[in-house]
Amino acid sequence: MRVLSIDLASLDPNDLGIALLTSDATIRVELVPPDRLSLMRPLQVGPLADALVALAEGSDCRWIAVDGPSGWKHPDNGLIHSRVSDRALNAPAKVGLPGHVKPRPYLKFVDFSIALFDALADRGYARLASAATPAGVRTSVEILPLVCWSRLNLPRLPAKSKCTPEALSGCSEALSTLVSFVSPPGHDELQATIGGIGVLWQLLGWSDRIELAGSPPVLLDGY
């Protein structure tokens, strides 16, 4: 089993974290340099989706995990400003009805992320519909690395702007108790890796190890 996991950026390709996780005796992690995708700045949804699908297909990955919202809030979910998953996981961005995000500065990133999921679906990687989705079906799935650190009882990785070399090294060493890195990871690659672990466990059928939050995606008024 293999998973392509992405710590998403919406502007600079160099801020992408790209990890290929393979189930082996342990979890083997191959880090993919962003320049391997040959993307221009600023990032555009279509070329990024094309590059990710090509990488997934070339690496025999049926599931693509993305650290970013996959859809907008359903108007009838019982919440005022957020999705069910945002509430369950206390996500930093509360994704509301189309075009509405709290805090407001997250809007551009959220809009980009949802458009990327649309593009991946157009290319054969539909959003995860349920826990029963077979491992062999091409699927895109939203992840939230931020909460994975605490769920796995590991020291939380600080925000990139506040992360010291010592903190980065400590989190890398802690995560290395669960995975085996082929090369030393950076901040974005650590986020991609920890977010992809649960997806790989899902593919292996280890549902007792993971938490799926939210409601099945639906298409409503074109969103």
Side-chain angles (χ1 to χ4, degrees):
M1 295 291 184
R2 303 194 84 186
V3 167
L4 172 59
S5 187
I6 309 298
D7 181 50
L8 186 60
S10 60
L11 181 62
D12 192 336
N14 292 321
D15 289 332
L16 293 167
I18 308 170
L20 287 164
L21 287 76
T22 304
S23 172
D24 209 330
T26 180
I27 298 177
R28 182 176 180 271
V29 181
E30 176 188 350
L31 305 175
V32 180
D35 59 10
R36 181 172 154 187
L37 302 186
S38 301
L39 295 166
M40 301 295 290
R41 186 183 192 278
L43 280 167
Q44 300 295 319
V45 168
L48 177 56
D50 287 336
L52 294 181
V53 167
L55 179 58
E57 296 290 338
S59 305
D60 194 27
C61 292
R62 292 295 183 268
W63 284 36
I64 300 176
V66 180
D67 174 21
S70 59
W72 300 99
K73 164 186 146 51
H74 193 286
D76 300 326
N77 71 354
L79 301 173
I80 299 176
H81 299 298
S82 69
R83 303 176 301 164
V84 172
S85 56
D86 298 333
R87 170 68 65 85
L89 300 176
N90 194 26
K94 306 300 186 288
V95 180
L97 297 175
H100 296 272
V101 177
K102 291 189 174 184
R104 183 75 179 178
Y106 280 105
L107 177 57
K108 183 178 179 181
F109 175 79
V110 169
D111 206 28
F112 185 91
S113 179
I114 293 173
L116 177 62
F117 274 95
D118 287 341
L120 291 174
D122 290 342
R123 290 158 176 76
Y125 285 79
R127 292 167 172 85
L128 179 66
S130 79
T133 300
V137 174
R138 287 176 174 82
T139 302
S140 59
V141 57
E142 176 182 344
I143 56 175
L144 187 59
L146 177 67
V147 304
C148 295
W149 296 95
S150 57
R151 293 291 199 277
L152 292 171
N153 295 316
L154 298 176
R156 178 177 288 186
L157 183 67
K160 191 173 182 179
S161 61
K162 300 178 180 179
C163 191
T164 64
E166 293 76 19
L168 184 69
S169 176
C171 288
S172 178
E173 183 177 345
L175 188 53
S176 294
T177 62
L178 295 176
V179 304
S180 175
F181 287 104
V182 174
S183 56
H187 189 281
D188 303 319
E189 294 160 331
L190 282 176
Q191 294 286 65
T193 297
I194 198 165
I197 292 174
V199 181
L200 187 60
W201 285 347
Q202 169 73 11
L203 294 181
L204 293 170
W206 298 345
S207 57
D208 59 318
R209 297 190 181 192
I210 66 174
E211 177 182 357
L212 291 177
S215 303
V218 297
L219 183 64
L220 183 64
D221 297 331
Y223 294 98

